[in-house]
Amino acid sequence: MPQQSSQPGDAHRVVMLVDDGSNPFELGVATELFGLRRPEIDLHWYDFTLCAAVPDTVLHAGRSGP
């Protein structure tokens, strides 16, 4: 599928796929970097979307072992 070249001022599309066991810290980092608006910078650099195959996706609980 051919990619369209981005024009000056166009936001880059960033999609993060989340599945069962995904790491919430990594989700937070990606959201902080690509998803939050920066009013001090008058540019819309990224169009961030978070996706999961099912609505009740369970993130990693942060525990190791049984």
Side-chain angles (χ1 to χ4, degrees):
M1 180 175 217
Q3 296 282 333
Q4 294 180 0
S5 62
S6 59
Q7 301 297 319
D10 286 351
H12 297 280
R13 176 169 288 176
V14 177
V15 178
M16 182 169 188
L17 303 175
V18 179
D19 199 5
D20 282 339
S22 291
N23 187 313
F25 175 76
E26 292 170 356
L27 171 65
V29 170
T31 302
E32 177 78 24
L33 182 62
F34 299 112
L36 298 181
R37 299 274 185 233
R38 303 288 183 208
E40 66 275 12
I41 302 173
D42 193 24
L43 295 172
H44 181 69
W45 287 345
Y46 302 107
D47 179 17
F48 181 72
T49 304
L50 182 64
C51 295
V54 294
D56 58 344
T57 300
V58 178
L59 297 180
H60 186 274
R63 293 177 292 226
S64 60

